Amino acid sequence: AGGGPLLPDSVLYEIFLYLDHVDVLSVGLVCQQWHAVARDEFLWKELFYRYYRVSREVPRHPAAVSWYEEFQRLYDTIPCVEVQALKEHNDQVLHLSFSHSGCLFASCSKDCTVKIWSNELDISLQHSSNMRPYNWSYTQFSQFNSDDSLLLVSGVFVGPHNSSSGEIAVISMENFTLLSRVRNKPYDVFGCWLNETNLISGNLHRIGRITSCSVLWLNNAFQGIESENVNVVKRLFKIQNLNASTIRTVMVADCSRYDSPDLLLDYEEQLAASSTCPVFDLGSDSEEEEAKPKQTPEPAVQELPDEGGVTPEDGLQQFFDDIMEGRVRPAMTETELETKVAELFVRSRTKPPELSLLPTDTNTKTKYLIFTTGCLTYTPHQIGIKRILPHQMTTAGPVLGEERRSDEFFDSLDHVIDVHGHIIGMGLSPDHRYLYVNSRAWPRDCVISDPMQPPPIAEEIDLHVFDLKTMKEVKRALRAHRAYTPNEECFFIFLDVSRDFVASGAEDHHGYIWDRHYNICLAKLQHDNVVNSVAFSPVEQELLLTASDDSTIKVWRSPRAVRLQQARKPRSRKLLFSWLMNQRS
């Protein structure tokens, strides 16, 4: 309406050359008839599919009114114009997080500070907290609570004899004071908020050389203030780890948002759900293999076969007897023996999983605890999901959590997703309906014989999408970004999801933006080193931040936002006076 398309003639001319039925002469004529072009839906549909290279099987975005407006959206609303570079950090910037209001954001860095920024027309530093006085090596992650009154900051803590662990600090946004500190082991659990005043941390207990137990704790943010008569910590879950795996990267999804998603994706390919404890295997790339029934990889906690009433305790004793009498063939290594004993033990000491994980009308207050884990090697290759019920969302009650029978020593996972590769990033859509996962794939049909020697990982990063309402993968993996570090040096690359876009960092010195509906890469954002983290403004998806090992935070806005920002800036009175004098003369 009004002035027609906002695209410049040169760009429109170049686009029209993609059309076979439009010659150069007609292009020139069409460019002069803006209103006619804007009304030609067939023309803009052809332009859209050809210019953005979208499969014609993909329908138009459900919220789009016309093909012209959809073309304009992808051209004009992508935050790909650098408008500011923040250089207040003096070392690698590892993570970015916005407040829910979008007025503030926090940054974490290897310089061991967490900085709070004011998100105005020109972004400015509001506060900086140095964590070195608390023996921290660096800050690595932050998250605002739901009302933006508190900031969770996760970092690496140097303990006795220079041993490294993790710690979580809670900072008040009212006066930037430190309210409490909570140990967090291993440090790449990161931690997260469960609700306004309670946060989740982790602890790790070694049982054997490659066997351990992860304990997830619920902590009150005001531990240094609450009365001694009030519980400020409670155990949520206790989960056994096999083959040197551990629980890492915890986050919470709110099931109550599922029925009103911001964007309901139109999926063409879905993986079939598995049986009791569903496990998705993403090792296959070909459509022919996806059409075949798949063998389900073993979950971290296996099912005992029916052996005619033999109890797990009898099975463990029988296994020991077989070893002593030489009936176990072939001979087991020490690692295989430890794993087998741990598996047999956990079967008789684990609380059964929930019968159904899918949300219903009666459990809309339920939340999911989501984390990375594994069952074959120490690198995180599975996503574990555990339901958190309403009565578990407070530190009130028994300190060690809900009462359980003596034989329920461990908690089982309610759901497991196996991505057949090294997971290096996860992010939730704003409505918490979809989980986006960065992973580097293992070779197809690889066999892991030693948990301390995982398979080599691909340089290409796959971005998978899972529907948390149906527990199914919903789209083919997005690709464009790359990483180069091997398994033992691989690090987390944070991604973020807005209403229409998903963005991620990469080791190839770029940030990337994809469209969630069309599954296409829209922009590459240049840095001078590895891009560790990206963050969309939660109230303005045309604003994106990127953080890099080059010690800078870059601010990116869409072409439309840049035009509007420039239009708001008042003209200099000196320039205006000069123009008036020229007009008089």
Side-chain angles (χ1 to χ4, degrees):
L6 297 174
L7 302 178
D9 288 358
S10 58
V11 175
L12 190 61
Y13 181 88
E14 179 182 353
I15 294 172
F16 276 125
L17 294 182
Y18 280 89
L19 297 179
D20 297 331
H21 64 279
V22 178
D23 56 26
V24 176
L25 178 61
S26 62
V27 168
L29 296 174
V30 170
C31 287
Q32 299 174 11
Q33 300 176 355
W34 295 102
H35 294 282
V37 171
R39 290 193 297 265
D40 192 336
E41 273 292 277
F42 172 77
L43 183 62
W44 285 105
K45 180 178 180 180
E46 289 295 312
L47 285 174
F48 185 91
Y49 280 117
R50 293 189 179 220
Y51 185 71
Y52 292 113
R53 299 180 181 178
V54 177
S55 169
R56 292 182 181 271
E57 297 177 355
V58 180
R60 193 174 67 189
H61 191 290
V65 176
S66 67
W67 282 107
Y68 160 66
E69 289 190 0
E70 192 62 353
F71 191 104
Q72 189 68 46
R73 178 181 72 86
L74 295 190
Y75 178 83
D76 211 31
T77 65
I78 310 302
C80 57
V81 180
E82 181 184 340
V83 296
Q84 197 172 354
L86 309 174
K87 300 182 179 181
E88 279 76 357
H89 283 290
N90 54 35
D91 207 335
Q92 302 170 5
V93 188
L94 302 180
H95 185 256
L96 299 163
S97 65
F98 267 100
S99 64
H100 295 82
S101 67
C103 297
L104 302 172
F105 69 87
S107 59
C108 295
S109 169
K110 280 288 184 73
D111 64 14
C112 207
T113 66
V114 55
K115 299 187 186 298
I116 314 298
W117 308 79
S118 178
N119 181 27
E120 299 174 347
L121 197 59
D122 288 320
I123 292 172
S124 59
L125 181 63
Q126 186 170 345
H127 176 78
S128 180
S129 292
N130 182 13
M131 301 304 292
R132 290 201 190 277
Y134 305 102
N135 293 327
W136 283 28
S137 296
Y138 56 89
T139 60
Q140 60 175 352
F141 175 83
S142 65
Q143 185 182 48
F144 289 84
N145 70 341
S146 57
D147 64 1
D148 294 335
S149 62
L150 303 173
L151 179 67
L152 176 155
V153 182
S154 174
V156 177
F157 174 85
V158 181
H161 310 292
N162 292 323
S163 60
S164 293
S165 185
E167 191 168 77
I168 295 172
V170 178
I171 298 175
S172 169
M173 287 293 97
E174 182 178 1
N175 50 17
F176 303 111
T177 57
L178 182 63
L179 297 179
S180 59
R181 292 159 58 199
V182 176
R183 289 296 175 90
N184 190 41
K185 184 179 180 180
Y187 59 82
D188 50 3
V189 169
F190 293 119
C192 65
W193 291 104
L194 177 61
N195 48 42
E196 289 184 6
T197 58
N198 293 297
L199 59 99
I200 296 174
S201 66
N203 201 356
L204 183 67
H205 303 281
R206 294 292 177 186
I207 300 175
R209 190 174 72 89
I210 58 170
T211 308
S212 64
C213 173
S214 288
V215 181
L216 298 172
W217 294 90
L218 185 63
N219 308 268
N220 191 294
F222 301 95
Q223 293 189 16
I225 302 173
E226 297 287 353
S227 166
E228 293 183 359
N229 298 321
V230 177
N231 287 339
V232 294
V233 62
K234 184 173 74 173
R235 192 179 75 191
L236 271 179
F237 305 115
K238 188 174 185 178
I239 298 170
Q240 189 192 45
N241 305 311
L242 301 177
N243 290 320
S245 65
T246 60
I247 286 178
R248 318 179 194 192
T249 319
V250 297
M251 60 177 58
V252 172
D254 186 352
C255 305
S256 65
R257 307 186 190 183
Y258 289 174
D259 291 329
S260 55
D262 296 327
L263 175 64
L264 188 59
L265 303 179
D266 181 19
Y267 309 113
E268 298 179 356
E269 299 179 0
Q270 296 184 347
L271 298 179
S274 300
S275 55
T276 308
C277 180
V279 178
F280 298 135
D281 184 1
L282 306 184
S284 170
D285 288 332
S286 68
E287 295 182 3
E288 293 78 13
E289 287 188 4
E290 287 182 1
K292 299 177 182 178
K294 296 186 178 181
Q295 293 183 350
T296 302
E298 294 181 349
V301 179
Q302 303 175 18
E303 297 283 343
L304 255 187
D306 186 4
E307 299 181 2
V310 176
T311 65
E313 290 85 352
D314 293 339
L316 185 60
Q317 184 61 51
Q318 182 65 50
F319 178 67
F320 286 140
D321 293 341
D322 291 342
I323 293 176
M324 297 302 295
E325 298 177 15
R327 292 195 295 265
V328 177
R329 291 289 186 271
M332 284 183 146
T333 64
E334 181 180 342
T335 297
E336 292 170 337
L337 178 60
E338 180 180 328
T339 299
K340 184 65 176 179
V341 171
E343 288 176 346
L344 289 171
F345 177 78
V346 77
R347 290 174 184 176
S348 62
R349 294 291 186 271
T350 301
K351 185 178 179 181
E354 301 291 341
L355 294 178
S356 175
L357 195 62
L358 301 182
T360 64
D361 294 338
T362 59
N363 65 2
T364 54
K365 295 183 179 180
T366 299
K367 296 183 179 182
Y368 292 160
L369 182 64
I370 302 172
F371 46 85
T372 62
T373 182
C375 66
L376 301 175
T377 179
Y378 70 86
T379 59
H381 56 277
Q382 293 181 325
I383 301 165
I385 300 177
K386 185 68 179 171
R387 187 201 310 258
I388 306 176
L389 299 175
H391 72 273
Q392 296 174 306
M393 299 182 191
T394 173
T395 56
V399 174
L400 293 182
E402 59 181 330
E403 295 297 332
R404 61 184 69 202
R405 302 198 311 266
S406 59
D407 61 343
E408 294 179 346
F409 191 74
F410 297 110
D411 293 287
S412 60
L413 304 185
D414 295 329
H415 197 85
V416 177
I417 301 172
D418 197 315
V419 301
H420 198 74
H422 192 139
I423 299 172
I424 60 170
M426 294 197 303
L428 288 166
S429 61
D431 52 25
H432 288 203
R433 172 72 179 266
Y434 301 105
L435 177 67
Y436 287 74
V437 180
N438 268 337
S439 74
R440 295 173 62 184
W442 290 338
R444 189 181 302 178
D445 301 325
C446 65
V447 176
I448 301 175
S449 56
D450 184 352
M452 304 310 295
Q453 295 183 354
I457 50 180
E459 289 187 354
E460 295 82 8
I461 302 175
D462 295 331
L463 183 51
H464 302 282
V465 190
F466 298 96
D467 187 339
L468 293 178
K469 185 173 182 179
T470 62
M471 293 296 165
K472 298 177 180 179
E473 189 185 22
V474 293
K475 283 196 173 183
R476 274 199 172 277
L478 302 171
R479 285 184 176 176
H481 48 332
R482 302 175 72 87
Y484 308 107
T485 51
N487 270 308
E488 62 274 11
E489 301 175 16
C490 198
F491 53 87
F492 215 71
I493 295 178
F494 294 94
L495 56 91
D496 196 22
V497 189
S498 70
R499 184 186 69 247
D500 295 313
F501 309 128
V502 55
S504 174
E507 292 185 41
D508 59 12
H509 301 188
H510 289 88
Y512 289 82
I513 303 175
W514 294 265
D515 184 83
R516 292 178 59 195
H517 177 73
Y518 297 108
N519 240 31
I520 55 173
C521 184
L522 297 170
K524 292 175 63 176
L525 313 175
Q526 178 72 50
H527 270 271
D528 295 330
N529 211 322
V530 172
V531 178
N532 296 305
S533 179
V534 297
F536 286 102
S537 166
V539 295
E540 182 188 3
Q541 68 173 358
E542 295 180 40
L543 168 62
L544 177 71
L545 307 174
T546 55
S548 171
D549 278 358
D550 61 16
S551 305
T552 64
I553 301 170
K554 288 190 176 182
V555 184
W556 308 83
R557 295 186 184 274
S558 68
R560 180 174 66 177
V562 171
R563 288 197 309 273
L564 293 175
Q565 184 175 346
Q566 292 173 344
R568 294 192 190 105
K569 290 184 178 180
R571 296 184 62 181
S572 170
R573 297 187 64 182
K574 183 177 179 180
L575 293 176
L576 180 61
F577 178 76
S578 176
W579 179 81
L580 289 173
M581 294 301 295
N582 290 334
Q583 293 297 313
R584 287 186 177 183
S585 61

